[in-house]
Structures are given as structure tokens and as C-alpha cells.
Amino acid sequence: MKINNSAFAKLLEYEKRSQQFAPGGKSGSGPAEEWSGVTFSLGGSRLACNIDRISEILPCPQATPVPGAKAWIVGLANVRGELLTVIDLGRYLSGVRSPVTASSRLLAASLNRAPIGLLIDEVYGQRHFLDGDALPAELTDDSPLRGVVSKQHALGAETWHELDLDRLFNTAEFLNGSAI
């Protein structure tokens, strides 16, 4: 039985190329600058956040209010023995309290190694985005998303605004949760 050396050489070439490929990398033969996002709704807006920034998606646990905290800080929740600061993201951004429903979830993230849970209306799932396809966000002047969203992505008929957690977590107002 004769082995086809050209077919074997082609397989070796494929193996070598696959070892050099880095998903989401800026080099290689894959889609450049691809990222995966958690897609969700908040106050009627469709948002996406880089999945690498989210450690967990949780149902809304019972939270204990924190005296002297701003109204958008729901409180502290015990999640598997770790205290998580629960933030009503809708209330922080717009001043309007988010209703907690069966669809509400917390996006667990980390701010300076401190666990933060962002209360959102509903999680839709995961989508893949290309940075090269991003457009400047089309927001009204009075949009509550203006300070934390600068890009939007169109996927079919849907438009997703990209929530920038770095911008959110580095605003002076967000960092100062004291109402006093």
C-alpha cells in the first residue's frame, strides 16, 4: 500500500498553521480583533460586554443594604462565602431603579480585585464581534449610556452597544459610593 506523501505534507502544513493561529489575535490567518461578548438588555438598550471581563452570570441574590451608600448600590450579597457589591447599573446610569424580575441577572466582574455584581434586565447570550466592524455609537445627547459606551456593532438587524467596563469602573462617581 502506497502512502500519498503530498496528502501527508498537506496535513503537516495544516498542523503547523493551526499551532501558529491565535483566536482573536491581531496576526495569523483568523479574523483579526475578534472578541466574544455577553449580550444583555438594560433599560430597553441592547448592550454587549467583553466576556473576558465577566467572571460569572448570576441570578439576583438577596442583598443587605449598606447604610450611607448611594441609592444605586443595592447592597452586599453573600455568593459562596464571598461578599459581592451589588450595583443597580440602570439606576447608576439613568437614576431610574431597575425592576428585579425572573429575567434579571448580575454580571459579576472585578474592580481592583473587589467583586462587583452589575444588575441588568436580561441576558441574551454570547455573540462574537469584530472590532473592525465597530462604528461610533449613535446615542442621543441625553442618553445615560453616553459616558460608558463609545462603539456599536451591527449584527444582522440587531445593534449592540459596547459597554466599556474600564470606563465605567474608572469614573470618580462610580468609585465613590458614599452618599455622605
Side-chain angles (χ1 to χ4, degrees):
M1 178 178 197
K2 185 177 178 186
I3 298 176
N4 185 344
N5 285 336
S6 65
F8 184 71
K10 195 66 160 170
L11 287 173
L12 287 174
E13 178 189 342
Y14 288 155
E15 179 185 24
K16 185 177 180 181
R17 286 175 47 200
S18 71
Q19 290 172 345
Q20 294 171 349
F21 176 75
K26 296 181 193 246
S27 62
S29 17
E33 304 173 42
E34 181 182 46
W35 59 277
S36 296
V38 174
T39 57
F40 58 97
S41 67
L42 180 68
S45 297
R46 286 188 169 145
L47 297 167
C49 178
N50 194 316
I51 202 165
D52 291 341
R53 294 299 313 270
I54 304 300
S55 59
E56 191 172 2
I57 299 170
L58 305 163
C60 296
Q62 184 69 32
T64 303
V66 176
K70 291 192 176 170
W72 43 267
I73 297 179
V74 176
L76 296 174
N78 184 339
V79 177
R80 290 180 298 287
E82 185 173 57
L83 287 180
L84 180 82
T85 303
V86 179
I87 305 294
D88 182 342
L89 186 57
R91 192 167 190 177
Y92 170 76
L93 294 173
S94 69
V96 178
R97 186 176 181 165
S98 300
V100 177
T101 67
S103 299
S104 298
R105 294 290 179 265
L106 289 184
L107 299 179
S110 180
L111 170 62
N112 299 327
R113 293 190 301 250
I116 302 285
L118 301 172
L119 175 64
I120 50 100
D121 296 338
E122 182 177 5
V123 171
Y124 295 125
Q126 178 181 344
R127 302 268 196 299
H128 300 285
F129 300 95
L130 290 174
D131 275 339
D133 292 343
L135 298 171
E138 295 176 10
L139 299 169
T140 60
D141 289 338
D142 62 343
S143 172
L145 299 175
R146 189 160 278 294
V148 294
V149 167
S150 60
K151 299 178 192 173
Q152 69 182 30
H153 302 267
L155 292 178
E158 300 172 334
T159 298
W160 300 95
H161 288 97
E162 185 180 334
L163 176 66
D164 186 341
L165 286 184
D166 289 326
R167 287 176 77 180
L168 173 67
F169 289 170
N170 287 308
T171 60
E173 182 183 0
F174 191 86
L175 293 171
N176 182 11
S178 173
I180 301 171

